[in-house]
Amino acid sequence: MKYVSTRGDAGGRRFSEILLEGLAPDGGLYLPERYPQVDAETLERWRGLSYPALAFELLSLYIDDIPPAELRALIDKTYRAEVFGDARIAPLAPLGDGIILERLSNGPTLAFKDVAMQLLGNLFEYELKRRAETLNVLGATSGDTGSAAEYALRGKRGINVFMLSPQGRMSPFQQAQMFSLQDANIHNIAIDGVFDDCQDIVKAVSNDLAFKRRWRIGTVNSINWARLLAQVVYYFAGYLQATPARGASRGPLPLVSFAVPSGNFGNICAGHVARMMGLPIRRLVLATNENNVLDEFFRTGTYRVRRGDETHETSSPSMDISKASNFERFISDLVGRDPGRVKALFGDGVGRKGAFTLSAAESDRVAGFGFVSGSSTHADRIATIADTHHRFGTVIDTHTADGLKVAREHLEPGVPMIVLETALPAKFAATIVEAIGIEPPRPAAMRGIEDLPRRFVTMPAEAGAVQRFITENA
Ligand SMILES: *Cc1c(COP(=O)(O)O)cnc(C)c1O
């Protein structure tokens, strides 16, 4: 399988060439040249597979430059019951009303990002060893991404992590989760500023090409193709668990819908890829919170990125985005992989004007990709968490609540609706208490982490200071 850039100027790359890269050199995102097709017989054959075996079948379609036995070993090492709390990795939990939760948040940092990031950590370690190279991963986080990256890369040979976070602005739990790590290769840097300052520093350092090359700076952000690919697996796993075996019947395959709490469009883009591969997905239900850039797009055909000061701070903070970094991948498919059109929309449209609007013909095509959308508010989250607790005895987190609220608006008779659970409620305890008056349960491994010793440094919001720290600690 070869990979191409959505903007057309970088073609024919292999998986291991793009694994450690973020953006393509032309500023686009990598996509496989084509989506391998999975037919009904193959799907049926996969029904009995374990999660790692299914992951191997799917990943093998996209990765042909890692020997199969080694790829299988990396996958088996990643998807274990000891790491994800359950050998099924992504088990389903029916909620009633035709709605099913897919539990993706029992990994080390209690959010779905672990599912992809844990694999990425093992792939990075493998590839760096093969190349006899090292990597300094530089990132900015307001919570979930940073901790998922650190737990995936802690103790990995050849990799250092430098993670910037806005001082005092993460939840106490998120801060404790990251700062309590004592691994020598993990460096937490608390920046005297807000999240945007942290992100600006990462950009400034990455744009210093001489420094970037000399110190081998890399990222693990959500545009990484391997992360997206790892997420495709749980759409298949969810589908196979939610539908009955076909037996002798040769009728059409049953359809399933997925509802996805969305921010950077990474998670739901994996659903789009699964659907393009032939997985019988009826609807991809995109849910946003008050930051409704994407909901607005699917309702109106206009994509208008927000300024920092237009971005709301909400009680589902991991979805507080002003611009969806993976969105260009879907648009590329929507415009038939026309790089000129992608450049016109993302280079000139978003770049210069901050917005673009699809042509009428393009808008007409959106429905054919299965997307529908909706948004929710703090009051909706509180009501959804309370209702789910009251009727089903299940406590869900604030992001999952956004997904569930919008899922209910798109239910169709006879079509199961799988809501992706993106975090455990223990991460967002204050809002859970507001909704149902009780503390959410916390997994044993996370009890008392606020009392553990902390390892971090503080720094002013200056790229130079961060660069100096990297040269002293890489
Ligand atoms: C990252 C995250 C999201 C958003 O996922 P995207 O892939 O950015 O769309 C939703 N919920 C939680 C809890 C997250 O950590």
Side-chain angles (χ1 to χ4, degrees):
M1 176 64 75
K2 296 277 174 37
Y3 292 87
V4 294
S5 164
T6 49
R7 300 195 189 175
D9 297 339
R13 317 281 309 273
R14 306 289 294 271
F15 177 81
S16 53
E17 290 177 282
I18 66 164
L19 172 63
L20 303 174
E21 273 183 54
L23 288 177
D26 62 359
L29 303 180
Y30 285 112
L31 278 176
E33 254 170 1
R34 59 185 171 77
Y35 296 113
Q37 296 301 298
V38 175
D39 60 23
E41 281 65 40
T42 308
L43 201 54
E44 213 44 42
R45 190 157 47 73
W46 287 354
R47 196 172 277 288
L49 298 182
S50 67
Y51 192 93
L54 176 65
F56 176 71
E57 294 292 334
L58 279 161
L59 267 55
S60 300
L61 300 174
Y62 290 94
I63 304 176
D64 51 17
D65 50 350
I66 298 178
E70 292 178 38
L71 180 61
R72 182 66 207 249
L74 290 170
I75 291 171
D76 285 349
K77 177 167 136 185
T78 304
Y79 296 117
R80 290 179 290 135
E82 305 90 86
V83 180
F84 288 96
D86 189 307
R88 289 168 297 174
I89 309 300
L92 298 186
L95 273 190
D97 307 337
I99 296 177
I100 305 167
L101 274 187
E102 185 166 0
R103 298 208 176 275
L104 302 175
S105 309
N106 288 295
T109 72
L110 316 187
F112 85 101
K113 290 194 172 66
D114 290 326
V115 179
M117 205 71 94
Q118 288 284 319
L119 181 69
L120 198 69
N122 286 325
L123 286 168
F124 269 36
E125 187 178 48
Y126 172 86
E127 178 60 16
L128 288 167
K129 183 168 174 228
R130 197 187 64 77
R131 296 186 189 185
E133 284 177 4
T134 58
L135 189 70
N136 292 302
V137 170
L138 175 65
T141 187
S142 53
D144 288 341
T145 313
S147 55
E150 291 188 354
Y151 280 74
L153 297 173
R154 61 188 295 200
K156 291 271 183 276
R157 265 186 308 174
I159 305 177
N160 286 306
V161 179
F162 297 90
M163 191 57 67
L164 314 185
S165 59
Q167 169 137 45
R169 283 172 195 262
M170 287 192 291
S171 78
F173 179 86
Q174 286 176 318
Q175 203 184 58
Q177 230 181 1
M178 289 178 50
F179 291 6
S180 62
L181 289 180
Q182 301 296 326
D183 306 76
N185 73 327
I186 302 294
H187 303 280
N188 287 301
I189 304 176
I191 294 290
D192 184 13
V194 296
F195 175 63
D196 282 336
D197 297 318
C198 300
Q199 233 171 359
D200 287 346
I201 295 174
V202 172
K203 270 190 216 141
V205 175
S206 301
N207 288 338
D208 182 344
L209 291 182
F211 184 88
K212 188 179 171 194
R213 215 165 298 131
R214 164 73 182 83
W215 292 99
R216 306 207 42 78
I217 303 295
T219 58
V220 289
N221 49 25
S222 81
I223 59 171
N224 183 291
W225 169 255
R227 262 182 80 175
L228 208 129
L229 188 54
Q231 294 174 340
V232 172
V233 178
Y234 53 68
Y235 283 88
F236 279 82
Y239 177 88
L240 291 170
Q241 292 175 83
T243 53
R246 250 172 123 217
S249 99
R250 281 287 170 268
L253 290 170
L255 291 164
V256 167
S257 291
F258 284 89
V260 189
S262 292
N264 272 318
F265 203 79
N267 200 358
I268 201 163
C269 193
H272 162 69
V273 171
R275 194 171 183 278
M276 296 296 279
M277 294 174 72
L279 189 67
I281 296 176
R282 164 122 176 106
R283 295 258 191 260
L284 288 164
V285 181
L286 180 141
T288 70
N289 61 21
E290 290 88 336
N291 297 294
N292 61 350
V293 189
L294 290 168
D295 177 37
E296 182 176 272
F297 169 81
F298 284 105
R299 280 185 293 102
T300 66
T302 293
Y303 180 63
R304 183 176 63 84
V305 305
R306 312 291 200 251
R307 293 191 316 266
D309 61 2
E310 290 176 303
T311 307
H312 306 274
E313 269 186 44
T314 75
S315 48
S316 45
S318 300
M319 293 159 61
D320 292 350
I321 59 104
S322 45
K323 170 170 162 255
S325 56
N326 269 290
F327 193 49
E328 187 170 328
R329 286 195 162 108
F330 167 65
I331 294 295
S332 175
D333 284 339
L334 179 73
V335 302
R337 296 279 182 101
D338 173 356
R341 183 64 180 146
V342 172
K343 267 191 254 184
L345 294 176
F346 282 90
D348 299 344
V350 176
R352 283 201 210 116
K353 297 185 225 94
F356 66 70
T357 300
L358 296 179
S359 70
E362 287 164 348
S363 275
D364 286 346
R365 281 209 295 275
V366 173
F369 287 86
F371 283 93
V372 291
S373 71
S375 68
S376 81
T377 63
H378 180 72
D380 292 326
R381 284 188 278 287
I382 296 291
T384 304
I385 292 166
D387 172 69
T388 306
H389 181 241
H390 176 69
R391 288 202 291 147
F392 308 113
T394 300
V395 184
I396 55 171
D397 102 290
T398 50
H399 307 75
T400 309
D402 289 329
L404 181 51
K405 184 263 180 185
V406 178
R408 288 194 182 285
E409 298 165 356
H410 295 280
L411 283 176
E412 295 169 291
V415 183
M417 174 71 76
I418 299 180
V419 178
L420 299 187
E421 173 211 65
T422 55
L424 287 195
K427 289 192 100 162
F428 305 95
T431 310
I432 306 303
V433 171
E434 183 184 338
I436 59 176
I438 52 174
E439 286 278 336
R442 196 186 268 199
M446 296 286 164
R447 290 191 196 128
I449 56 168
E450 287 91 340
D451 305 325
L452 295 175
R454 294 174 177 216
R455 191 166 168 277
F456 69 102
V457 296
T458 54
M459 238 171 253
E462 290 164 16
V466 172
Q467 284 178 309
R468 212 168 313 120
F469 184 80
I470 292 174
T471 61
E472 287 160 7
N473 292 278

